[in-house]
Every structure is written in structure tokens, then in C-alpha cells.
Amino acid sequence: MIRQAVLEYDHADDALDRLDDLIDDRRAHVLHGHNGYGVVCAVYPDIVDYPATAFGGECTDAEVERLKAFDADVLIAIGGGKLVDTAKLVAYQRSVPLIVIPTLASNCAAFTPLSVVYQEDGSYDRYDMFRVVIERVIVDSRVMRRSPYEYFRAGVIDTVAKFYEARYLSGDSSIDAGVNTGLALAEQCGRLVELDLSEHAFKSYSDDVRFAIDHVLAIGGAVGGFGDAGTRVAVGHAVHNALSRFDSTHTFLHGDKVGFGLIVQERLRHSADAPYLEAWLKRFGAPTTLETLGIGPDDIPILVDSVMVETELQQLPAPLNKDFLKIIFESLQLCVYN
Ligand SMILES: [Zn+2]
């Protein structure tokens, strides 16, 4: 099935200035996070005129229930991925349209009709898919360029992952129109590795950075929207989930762990791109050894078992070779060259 959630996407140097016209004479309510909200207020001071509720920080059923108590015709979400995921559930359950103002260039939450829901203790619970109407995603370069570079960097890796994982699942083309479109968009996401996305380029908001932000926020989300199960996550994200069980990896961003997972995935499939991908990740400042992630040789059997469990839930084209997976992890333990 093809699913899209967003009616309009506006990425411009003055995108926020059109918010009032969009709201028109409707009653609006704001849900905002903590980081980034101050930047939005500085760029667009009128935002504080709308009634607002602060987000608690996690997308849980209890938080959705708490945030549902507002009286308005349209909801405005200002923040990062977790806040957007929560706001989508709130808007869906209250049957009101949503406007999203991302404050981080790190995820495609504004473009996907689903939310990742966590349990009260912070562990992963499930993801919900639903029909939510996102009227507009407002990406204002004045906000984006003041967001942390690290999040953008990790977001780019997570977007490049769309290419490698979609190709792992569905190859280079498909007779299914949705999957084929997803693959074409994913290929475009893979080309981000060719751009200058350094911190200097980010601060100057170069054309390459603007192009990459559109892929992180919008095109990357559309990959799964078109391709559905044929272009979703594969081994890269399974390795990410397995790594996340180790406390030492909690200080690393999602995209950094996914990047390491991609190295494992591409080695598993004997891809000619593996060394190229690895060199790019290293240049981009992402971890490429288990040692960097704080995982020792003794942890490898646990890691292998976790990946096997994770991938059992996925519809991979073929089962993983457990012995080969272990050999790959062992070879990625330490940096033997460089
Ligand atoms: Zn991801």
C-alpha cells in the first residue's frame, strides 16, 4: 500500500512567516519540546500568542493521553522526532490536522504516517501506523542552521541507510510500482555520500546542505511511504537495535549506530560498496569499530544472538548466516589499519 501523510512541505528562508496565513481564523494549539523551541520563538515571536503545552520527552500512551486535553481546530508540533511522533498520535486520536515545525534536521518523522511508541520505563514498545493529516511541514532555514550539527550528521547517515536497506530487501528494481518508486527515492538518498556535508557547509547552509536536509526530512520518509515493507529497515537497523542493548552505546546517536549496522550488512552481502561506505562513515566521524562503541570481544556472542533475534521479526530475502555474522563482528572489533 502507498501511504503519504503530508500535504505541503515548505523549506525556505522565511517559511515560518507564512504560518499565520495557514492557520487563518482557526484556533491553534502548540505542542513544543525544550531544545529548539527558543530558536523558533526568536525567529518568529508571534508563536507565543498561541496556547501551548510542553512535551514530557517520551512518546508513551500516557503522554499522548495527557496531551490530548486541548481545545483547538489545528495542532502545531515544534520539536524533534519523538515530539513529532507524539503529536501525530495526538492529532490522529483527536481528529485534528497537524502542522509540523522541525527543530532538528535529523529524522523523517514529519513525513511518515507512523509513530514509535515507548513504554513508561523508556524501552521500545511498538510502532503504530495510522491516517494522520499533516497540512504542512515548515522548514525554516533560520531555525535549521541553528540546530546541532551532530544531529544533522547522524540524520544524513540514517537517510543514506534507506538506500542500502531498501536495496538489501528489494534489489535494484521491482514490478510493484510503489516499491519501485521507493527504490528510486532511496537511490537518491544514497547519493548524499557524494556531497560536502561538513560542519562548515552546514553553518553556511550551502546548496548541498539544503538538498540533504530535504532528503533527511522528506524524501527519506517517502521511501517507506511508497515502498512499504519492500523498502523498510533491514540488517542495518537490526544491528542498531542489538547495539542499543549495551549501555556503552547510549551516548551515540541513532544514525551513528545505524551506520555501523550498514557496514555489517554490506559485508554480509559481499557488497562491492562496503569499503567505500566504511571510508565515508569514517570521514564523516561515525564509529566504525566495536571498540569505539565500547563493546569488547566477550560481548560479540551476545551481539550476534541479539541480531539474529531482531532479524527474525523482519522479512529478509534470506536468513542470516550466523557464523559469518560473528566473523564480521570480530573483524570490526578493532581498527587494524589506519
Ligand atoms: Zn533509522
Side-chain angles (χ1 to χ4, degrees):
M1 192 195 286
I2 296 173
R3 295 185 182 87
Q4 302 292 324
V6 177
L7 301 179
E8 297 178 332
Y9 172 84
D10 186 11
H11 182 184
D13 297 335
D14 58 354
L16 270 172
D17 300 347
R18 289 182 279 282
L19 179 62
D20 257 350
D21 283 346
L22 179 63
I23 304 269
D24 204 8
D25 55 8
R26 293 179 294 177
R27 294 170 306 148
H29 190 92
V30 168
L31 289 185
H32 66 82
H34 299 285
N35 302 325
Y37 181 57
V39 176
V40 172
C41 293
V43 168
Y44 187 74
D46 290 356
I47 197 81
V48 299
D49 295 342
Y50 297 113
T53 310
F55 175 50
E58 287 293 350
C59 181
T60 62
D61 288 322
E63 181 66 353
V64 169
E65 214 45 52
R66 180 180 80 85
L67 296 173
K68 269 161 72 179
F70 64 86
D71 185 26
D73 310 312
V74 56
L75 193 60
I76 306 172
I78 306 174
K82 284 184 177 179
L83 175 129
V84 174
D85 270 4
T86 311
K88 284 187 292 190
L89 266 175
V90 172
Y92 166 68
Q93 292 187 12
R94 283 290 314 272
S95 297
V96 295
L98 181 65
I99 295 166
V100 177
I101 304 173
T103 57
L104 294 172
S106 69
N107 62 80
C108 57
F111 248 77
T112 51
L114 59 87
S115 294
V116 181
V117 183
Y118 292 83
Q119 291 173 351
E120 291 306 317
D121 64 4
S123 63
Y124 171 82
D125 184 7
R126 63 182 199 275
Y127 74 84
D128 286 350
M129 214 172 255
F130 44 81
R131 290 174 304 283
V132 60
V133 177
I134 299 174
E135 284 193 353
R136 187 181 294 175
V137 179
I138 299 176
V139 185
D140 195 301
S141 64
R142 293 168 294 183
V143 175
M144 280 297 130
R145 68 197 311 164
R146 287 165 67 182
S147 68
Y149 171 72
E150 281 303 293
Y151 281 84
F152 167 67
R153 195 184 58 77
V156 167
I157 297 170
D158 202 29
T159 305
V160 166
K162 309 272 181 194
F163 165 63
Y164 288 101
E165 296 195 289
R167 187 177 65 170
Y168 184 95
L169 293 173
S170 297
D172 294 326
S173 66
S174 168
I175 54 160
D176 180 286
V179 174
N180 206 47
T181 305
L183 286 170
L185 296 178
E187 193 183 341
Q188 211 171 282
C189 291
R191 296 218 192 96
L192 297 186
V193 300
E194 297 161 16
L195 305 180
D196 173 11
L197 303 176
S198 60
E199 186 160 11
H200 177 260
F202 182 72
K203 295 284 178 221
S204 63
Y205 220 75
S206 66
D207 289 345
D208 279 1
V209 166
R210 197 178 285 268
F211 184 84
I213 286 178
D214 287 338
H215 282 75
V216 174
L217 296 177
I219 311 296
V223 169
F226 278 104
D228 208 357
T231 56
R232 286 238 174 72
V233 296
V235 178
H237 275 78
V239 172
H240 160 279
N241 295 347
L243 288 171
S244 298
R245 297 178 186 212
F246 293 87
D247 289 347
S248 64
T249 69
H250 291 174
T251 49
F252 289 88
L253 294 174
H254 172 85
D256 280 334
K257 284 178 271 190
V258 171
F260 183 83
L262 290 182
I263 297 173
V264 176
Q265 175 185 300
E266 292 305 294
R267 286 194 182 192
L268 264 176
R269 62 188 290 272
H270 303 283
S271 159
D273 295 339
Y276 179 68
L277 170 74
E278 213 169 315
W280 174 73
L281 287 167
K282 195 176 273 185
R283 274 202 313 278
F284 212 28
T288 55
T289 66
L290 284 176
E291 190 188 35
T292 315
L293 289 160
I295 294 174
D298 297 345
D299 299 323
I300 288 177
I302 306 165
L303 190 57
V304 170
D305 286 342
S306 302
V307 174
M308 297 306 288
V309 170
E310 289 288 339
T311 51
E312 270 170 22
L313 306 170
Q314 299 177 339
Q315 290 164 347
L316 299 182
L320 296 190
N321 180 331
K322 190 174 173 181
D323 295 332
F324 188 33
L325 184 63
K326 185 160 179 275
I327 292 167
I328 291 170
F329 277 126
E330 283 164 357
S331 68
L332 288 168
Q333 169 62 43
L334 286 168
C335 195
V336 286
Y337 52 91
N338 145 27

mmCIF file with all atom_site columns, all heavy atoms in Angstrom, residues 273-289:
data_model
loop_
_atom_site.group_PDB
_atom_site.id
_atom_site.type_symbol
_atom_site.label_atom_id
_atom_site.label_alt_id
_atom_site.label_comp_id
_atom_site.label_asym_id
_atom_site.label_entity_id
_atom_site.label_seq_id
_atom_site.pdbx_PDB_ins_code
_atom_site.Cartn_x
_atom_site.Cartn_y
_atom_site.Cartn_z
_atom_site.occupancy
_atom_site.B_iso_or_equiv
_atom_site.pdbx_formal_charge
_atom_site.auth_seq_id
_atom_site.auth_comp_id
_atom_site.auth_asym_id
_atom_site.auth_atom_id
_atom_site.pdbx_PDB_model_num
ATOM 1   N N   . ASP A 1 273 ? 30.369 -2.211 -2.481 1.00 0.00 ? 273 ASP A N   1
ATOM 2   C CA  . ASP A 1 273 ? 30.308 -0.861 -1.910 1.00 0.00 ? 273 ASP A CA  1
ATOM 3   C C   . ASP A 1 273 ? 30.809 -0.802 -0.463 1.00 0.00 ? 273 ASP A C   1
ATOM 4   O O   . ASP A 1 273 ? 30.983 0.291  0.079  1.00 0.00 ? 273 ASP A O   1
ATOM 5   C CB  . ASP A 1 273 ? 28.853 -0.350 -1.900 1.00 0.00 ? 273 ASP A CB  1
ATOM 6   C CG  . ASP A 1 273 ? 28.305 -0.176 -3.294 1.00 0.00 ? 273 ASP A CG  1
ATOM 7   O OD1 . ASP A 1 273 ? 29.124 -0.052 -4.221 1.00 0.00 ? 273 ASP A OD1 1
ATOM 8   O OD2 . ASP A 1 273 ? 27.071 -0.172 -3.445 1.00 0.00 ? 273 ASP A OD2 1
ATOM 9   N N   . ALA A 1 274 ? 31.009 -1.953 0.175  1.00 0.00 ? 274 ALA A N   1
ATOM 10  C CA  . ALA A 1 274 ? 31.306 -1.970 1.603  1.00 0.00 ? 274 ALA A CA  1
ATOM 11  C C   . ALA A 1 274 ? 32.512 -1.101 1.995  1.00 0.00 ? 274 ALA A C   1
ATOM 12  O O   . ALA A 1 274 ? 32.397 -0.267 2.899  1.00 0.00 ? 274 ALA A O   1
ATOM 13  C CB  . ALA A 1 274 ? 31.462 -3.400 2.107  1.00 0.00 ? 274 ALA A CB  1
ATOM 14  N N   . PRO A 1 275 ? 33.663 -1.248 1.322  1.00 0.00 ? 275 PRO A N   1
ATOM 15  C CA  . PRO A 1 275 ? 34.820 -0.413 1.724  1.00 0.00 ? 275 PRO A CA  1
ATOM 16  C C   . PRO A 1 275 ? 34.580 1.075  1.517  1.00 0.00 ? 275 PRO A C   1
ATOM 17  O O   . PRO A 1 275 ? 35.020 1.909  2.313  1.00 0.00 ? 275 PRO A O   1
ATOM 18  C CB  . PRO A 1 275 ? 35.960 -0.895 0.812  1.00 0.00 ? 275 PRO A CB  1
ATOM 19  C CG  . PRO A 1 275 ? 35.477 -2.086 0.091  1.00 0.00 ? 275 PRO A CG  1
ATOM 20  C CD  . PRO A 1 275 ? 33.987 -2.149 0.212  1.00 0.00 ? 275 PRO A CD  1
ATOM 21  N N   . TYR A 1 276 ? 33.857 1.400  0.459  1.00 0.00 ? 276 TYR A N   1
ATOM 22  C CA  . TYR A 1 276 ? 33.543 2.790  0.133  1.00 0.00 ? 276 TYR A CA  1
ATOM 23  C C   . TYR A 1 276 ? 32.646 3.402  1.220  1.00 0.00 ? 276 TYR A C   1
ATOM 24  O O   . TYR A 1 276 ? 32.890 4.502  1.721  1.00 0.00 ? 276 TYR A O   1
ATOM 25  C CB  . TYR A 1 276 ? 32.852 2.813  -1.236 1.00 0.00 ? 276 TYR A CB  1
ATOM 26  C CG  . TYR A 1 276 ? 32.428 4.168  -1.710 1.00 0.00 ? 276 TYR A CG  1
ATOM 27  C CD1 . TYR A 1 276 ? 33.367 5.141  -2.065 1.00 0.00 ? 276 TYR A CD1 1
ATOM 28  C CD2 . TYR A 1 276 ? 31.074 4.483  -1.819 1.00 0.00 ? 276 TYR A CD2 1
ATOM 29  C CE1 . TYR A 1 276 ? 32.964 6.387  -2.502 1.00 0.00 ? 276 TYR A CE1 1
ATOM 30  C CE2 . TYR A 1 276 ? 30.660 5.726  -2.257 1.00 0.00 ? 276 TYR A CE2 1
ATOM 31  C CZ  . TYR A 1 276 ? 31.605 6.677  -2.589 1.00 0.00 ? 276 TYR A CZ  1
ATOM 32  O OH  . TYR A 1 276 ? 31.205 7.908  -3.017 1.00 0.00 ? 276 TYR A OH  1
ATOM 33  N N   . LEU A 1 277 ? 31.639 2.643  1.595  1.00 0.00 ? 277 LEU A N   1
ATOM 34  C CA  . LEU A 1 277 ? 30.718 3.085  2.647  1.00 0.00 ? 277 LEU A CA  1
ATOM 35  C C   . LEU A 1 277 ? 31.460 3.292  3.971  1.00 0.00 ? 277 LEU A C   1
ATOM 36  O O   . LEU A 1 277 ? 31.271 4.290  4.672  1.00 0.00 ? 277 LEU A O   1
ATOM 37  C CB  . LEU A 1 277 ? 29.613 2.029  2.825  1.00 0.00 ? 277 LEU A CB  1
ATOM 38  C CG  . LEU A 1 277 ? 28.694 2.191  4.026  1.00 0.00 ? 277 LEU A CG  1
ATOM 39  C CD1 . LEU A 1 277 ? 27.718 3.342  3.795  1.00 0.00 ? 277 LEU A CD1 1
ATOM 40  C CD2 . LEU A 1 277 ? 27.911 0.902  4.289  1.00 0.00 ? 277 LEU A CD2 1
ATOM 41  N N   . GLU A 1 278 ? 32.332 2.337  4.286  1.00 0.00 ? 278 GLU A N   1
ATOM 42  C CA  . GLU A 1 278 ? 33.096 2.390  5.530  1.00 0.00 ? 278 GLU A CA  1
ATOM 43  C C   . GLU A 1 278 ? 34.010 3.617  5.566  1.00 0.00 ? 278 GLU A C   1
ATOM 44  O O   . GLU A 1 278 ? 34.097 4.312  6.587  1.00 0.00 ? 278 GLU A O   1
ATOM 45  C CB  . GLU A 1 278 ? 33.927 1.113  5.611  1.00 0.00 ? 278 GLU A CB  1
ATOM 46  C CG  . GLU A 1 278 ? 34.120 0.609  7.001  1.00 0.00 ? 278 GLU A CG  1
ATOM 47  C CD  . GLU A 1 278 ? 34.711 -0.790 6.989  1.00 0.00 ? 278 GLU A CD  1
ATOM 48  O OE1 . GLU A 1 278 ? 34.256 -1.656 6.203  1.00 0.00 ? 278 GLU A OE1 1
ATOM 49  O OE2 . GLU A 1 278 ? 35.647 -1.008 7.772  1.00 0.00 ? 278 GLU A OE2 1
ATOM 50  N N   . ALA A 1 279 ? 34.661 3.891  4.443  1.00 0.00 ? 279 ALA A N   1
ATOM 51  C CA  . ALA A 1 279 ? 35.565 5.052  4.365  1.00 0.00 ? 279 ALA A CA  1
ATOM 52  C C   . ALA A 1 279 ? 34.771 6.353  4.516  1.00 0.00 ? 279 ALA A C   1
ATOM 53  O O   . ALA A 1 279 ? 35.210 7.287  5.193  1.00 0.00 ? 279 ALA A O   1
ATOM 54  C CB  . ALA A 1 279 ? 36.307 5.040  3.025  1.00 0.00 ? 279 ALA A CB  1
ATOM 55  N N   . TRP A 1 280 ? 33.600 6.393  3.918  1.00 0.00 ? 280 TRP A N   1
ATOM 56  C CA  . TRP A 1 280 ? 32.751 7.596  4.029  1.00 0.00 ? 280 TRP A CA  1
ATOM 57  C C   . TRP A 1 280 ? 32.318 7.815  5.487  1.00 0.00 ? 280 TRP A C   1
ATOM 58  O O   . TRP A 1 280 ? 32.397 8.937  6.012  1.00 0.00 ? 280 TRP A O   1
ATOM 59  C CB  . TRP A 1 280 ? 31.519 7.463  3.118  1.00 0.00 ? 280 TRP A CB  1
ATOM 60  C CG  . TRP A 1 280 ? 30.548 8.594  3.286  1.00 0.00 ? 280 TRP A CG  1
ATOM 61  C CD1 . TRP A 1 280 ? 30.721 9.880  2.847  1.00 0.00 ? 280 TRP A CD1 1
ATOM 62  C CD2 . TRP A 1 280 ? 29.291 8.562  3.969  1.00 0.00 ? 280 TRP A CD2 1
ATOM 63  N NE1 . TRP A 1 280 ? 29.623 10.642 3.214  1.00 0.00 ? 280 TRP A NE1 1
ATOM 64  C CE2 . TRP A 1 280 ? 28.733 9.863  3.897  1.00 0.00 ? 280 TRP A CE2 1
ATOM 65  C CE3 . TRP A 1 280 ? 28.565 7.562  4.620  1.00 0.00 ? 280 TRP A CE3 1
ATOM 66  C CZ2 . TRP A 1 280 ? 27.493 10.189 4.458  1.00 0.00 ? 280 TRP A CZ2 1
ATOM 67  C CZ3 . TRP A 1 280 ? 27.327 7.882  5.167  1.00 0.00 ? 280 TRP A CZ3 1
ATOM 68  C CH2 . TRP A 1 280 ? 26.804 9.184  5.090  1.00 0.00 ? 280 TRP A CH2 1
ATOM 69  N N   . LEU A 1 281 ? 31.904 6.733  6.143  1.00 0.00 ? 281 LEU A N   1
ATOM 70  C CA  . LEU A 1 281 ? 31.457 6.860  7.548  1.00 0.00 ? 281 LEU A CA  1
ATOM 71  C C   . LEU A 1 281 ? 32.599 7.352  8.434  1.00 0.00 ? 281 LEU A C   1
ATOM 72  O O   . LEU A 1 281 ? 32.406 8.181  9.319  1.00 0.00 ? 281 LEU A O   1
ATOM 73  C CB  . LEU A 1 281 ? 30.929 5.518  8.056  1.00 0.00 ? 281 LEU A CB  1
ATOM 74  C CG  . LEU A 1 281 ? 29.558 5.098  7.506  1.00 0.00 ? 281 LEU A CG  1
ATOM 75  C CD1 . LEU A 1 281 ? 29.279 3.637  7.804  1.00 0.00 ? 281 LEU A CD1 1
ATOM 76  C CD2 . LEU A 1 281 ? 28.447 5.981  8.098  1.00 0.00 ? 281 LEU A CD2 1
ATOM 77  N N   . LYS A 1 282 ? 33.793 6.837  8.160  1.00 0.00 ? 282 LYS A N   1
ATOM 78  C CA  . LYS A 1 282 ? 34.956 7.224  8.957  1.00 0.00 ? 282 LYS A CA  1
ATOM 79  C C   . LYS A 1 282 ? 35.253 8.715  8.762  1.00 0.00 ? 282 LYS A C   1
ATOM 80  O O   . LYS A 1 282 ? 35.461 9.449  9.723  1.00 0.00 ? 282 LYS A O   1
ATOM 81  C CB  . LYS A 1 282 ? 36.151 6.363  8.548  1.00 0.00 ? 282 LYS A CB  1
ATOM 82  C CG  . LYS A 1 282 ? 37.294 6.416  9.532  1.00 0.00 ? 282 LYS A CG  1
ATOM 83  C CD  . LYS A 1 282 ? 38.399 5.469  9.126  1.00 0.00 ? 282 LYS A CD  1
ATOM 84  C CE  . LYS A 1 282 ? 38.153 4.070  9.681  1.00 0.00 ? 282 LYS A CE  1
ATOM 85  N NZ  . LYS A 1 282 ? 39.267 3.162  9.400  1.00 0.00 ? 282 LYS A NZ  1
ATOM 86  N N   . ARG A 1 283 ? 35.244 9.157  7.513  1.00 0.00 ? 283 ARG A N   1
ATOM 87  C CA  . ARG A 1 283 ? 35.467 10.582 7.217  1.00 0.00 ? 283 ARG A CA  1
ATOM 88  C C   . ARG A 1 283 ? 34.406 11.458 7.869  1.00 0.00 ? 283 ARG A C   1
ATOM 89  O O   . ARG A 1 283 ? 34.651 12.585 8.275  1.00 0.00 ? 283 ARG A O   1
ATOM 90  C CB  . ARG A 1 283 ? 35.393 10.811 5.696  1.00 0.00 ? 283 ARG A CB  1
ATOM 91  C CG  . ARG A 1 283 ? 36.644 10.593 4.928  1.00 0.00 ? 283 ARG A CG  1
ATOM 92  C CD  . ARG A 1 283 ? 36.630 11.341 3.585  1.00 0.00 ? 283 ARG A CD  1
ATOM 93  N NE  . ARG A 1 283 ? 35.400 11.188 2.809  1.00 0.00 ? 283 ARG A NE  1
ATOM 94  C CZ  . ARG A 1 283 ? 35.115 10.160 2.028  1.00 0.00 ? 283 ARG A CZ  1
ATOM 95  N NH1 . ARG A 1 283 ? 35.978 9.178  1.911  1.00 0.00 ? 283 ARG A NH1 1
ATOM 96  N NH2 . ARG A 1 283 ? 33.978 10.098 1.346  1.00 0.00 ? 283 ARG A NH2 1
ATOM 97  N N   . PHE A 1 284 ? 33.197 10.909 7.948  1.00 0.00 ? 284 PHE A N   1
ATOM 98  C CA  . PHE A 1 284 ? 32.053 11.664 8.457  1.00 0.00 ? 284 PHE A CA  1
ATOM 99  C C   . PHE A 1 284 ? 32.019 11.647 9.992  1.00 0.00 ? 284 PHE A C   1
ATOM 100 O O   . PHE A 1 284 ? 31.144 12.231 10.613 1.00 0.00 ? 284 PHE A O   1
ATOM 101 C CB  . PHE A 1 284 ? 30.781 11.045 7.880  1.00 0.00 ? 284 PHE A CB  1
ATOM 102 C CG  . PHE A 1 284 ? 29.662 12.019 7.648  1.00 0.00 ? 284 PHE A CG  1
ATOM 103 C CD1 . PHE A 1 284 ? 29.904 13.361 7.372  1.00 0.00 ? 284 PHE A CD1 1
ATOM 104 C CD2 . PHE A 1 284 ? 28.349 11.591 7.687  1.00 0.00 ? 284 PHE A CD2 1
ATOM 105 C CE1 . PHE A 1 284 ? 28.857 14.243 7.147  1.00 0.00 ? 284 PHE A CE1 1
ATOM 106 C CE2 . PHE A 1 284 ? 27.289 12.469 7.469  1.00 0.00 ? 284 PHE A CE2 1
ATOM 107 C CZ  . PHE A 1 284 ? 27.553 13.799 7.195  1.00 0.00 ? 284 PHE A CZ  1
ATOM 108 N N   . GLY A 1 285 ? 32.972 10.949 10.604 1.00 0.00 ? 285 GLY A N   1
ATOM 109 C CA  . GLY A 1 285 ? 33.075 10.957 12.059 1.00 0.00 ? 285 GLY A CA  1
ATOM 110 C C   . GLY A 1 285 ? 32.185 9.945  12.765 1.00 0.00 ? 285 GLY A C   1
ATOM 111 O O   . GLY A 1 285 ? 31.932 10.059 13.972 1.00 0.00 ? 285 GLY A O   1
ATOM 112 N N   . ALA A 1 286 ? 31.722 8.931  12.048 1.00 0.00 ? 286 ALA A N   1
ATOM 113 C CA  . ALA A 1 286 ? 30.865 7.907  12.669 1.00 0.00 ? 286 ALA A CA  1
ATOM 114 C C   . ALA A 1 286 ? 31.723 6.739  13.155 1.00 0.00 ? 286 ALA A C   1
ATOM 115 O O   . ALA A 1 286 ? 32.788 6.478  12.603 1.00 0.00 ? 286 ALA A O   1
ATOM 116 C CB  . ALA A 1 286 ? 29.843 7.411  11.656 1.00 0.00 ? 286 ALA A CB  1
ATOM 117 N N   . PRO A 1 287 ? 31.283 6.024  14.201 1.00 0.00 ? 287 PRO A N   1
ATOM 118 C CA  . PRO A 1 287 ? 32.058 4.878  14.699 1.00 0.00 ? 287 PRO A CA  1
ATOM 119 C C   . PRO A 1 287 ? 32.072 3.730  13.689 1.00 0.00 ? 287 PRO A C   1
ATOM 120 O O   . PRO A 1 287 ? 31.034 3.396  13.125 1.00 0.00 ? 287 PRO A O   1
ATOM 121 C CB  . PRO A 1 287 ? 31.307 4.458  15.974 1.00 0.00 ? 287 PRO A CB  1
ATOM 122 C CG  . PRO A 1 287 ? 29.930 5.013  15.824 1.00 0.00 ? 287 PRO A CG  1
ATOM 123 C CD  . PRO A 1 287 ? 30.055 6.245  14.973 1.00 0.00 ? 287 PRO A CD  1
ATOM 124 N N   . THR A 1 288 ? 33.260 3.167  13.456 1.00 0.00 ? 288 THR A N   1
ATOM 125 C CA  . THR A 1 288 ? 33.352 2.047  12.510 1.00 0.00 ? 288 THR A CA  1
ATOM 126 C C   . THR A 1 288 ? 33.999 0.811  13.144 1.00 0.00 ? 288 THR A C   1
ATOM 127 O O   . THR A 1 288 ? 34.306 -0.151 12.443 1.00 0.00 ? 288 THR A O   1
ATOM 128 C CB  . THR A 1 288 ? 34.171 2.455  11.254 1.00 0.00 ? 288 THR A CB  1
ATOM 129 O OG1 . THR A 1 288 ? 35.444 2.939  11.679 1.00 0.00 ? 288 THR A OG1 1
ATOM 130 C CG2 . THR A 1 288 ? 33.464 3.541  10.454 1.00 0.00 ? 288 THR A CG2 1
ATOM 131 N N   . THR A 1 289 ? 34.220 0.855  14.468 1.00 0.00 ? 289 THR A N   1
ATOM 132 C CA  . THR A 1 289 ? 34.703 -0.345 15.159 1.00 0.00 ? 289 THR A CA  1
ATOM 133 C C   . THR A 1 289 ? 33.857 -0.575 16.414 1.00 0.00 ? 289 THR A C   1
ATOM 134 O O   . THR A 1 289 ? 33.271 0.369  16.968 1.00 0.00 ? 289 THR A O   1
ATOM 135 C CB  . THR A 1 289 ? 36.170 -0.217 15.620 1.00 0.00 ? 289 THR A CB  1
ATOM 136 O OG1 . THR A 1 289 ? 36.249 0.812  16.628 1.00 0.00 ? 289 THR A OG1 1
ATOM 137 C CG2 . THR A 1 289 ? 37.103 0.142  14.473 1.00 0.00 ? 289 THR A CG2 1
#
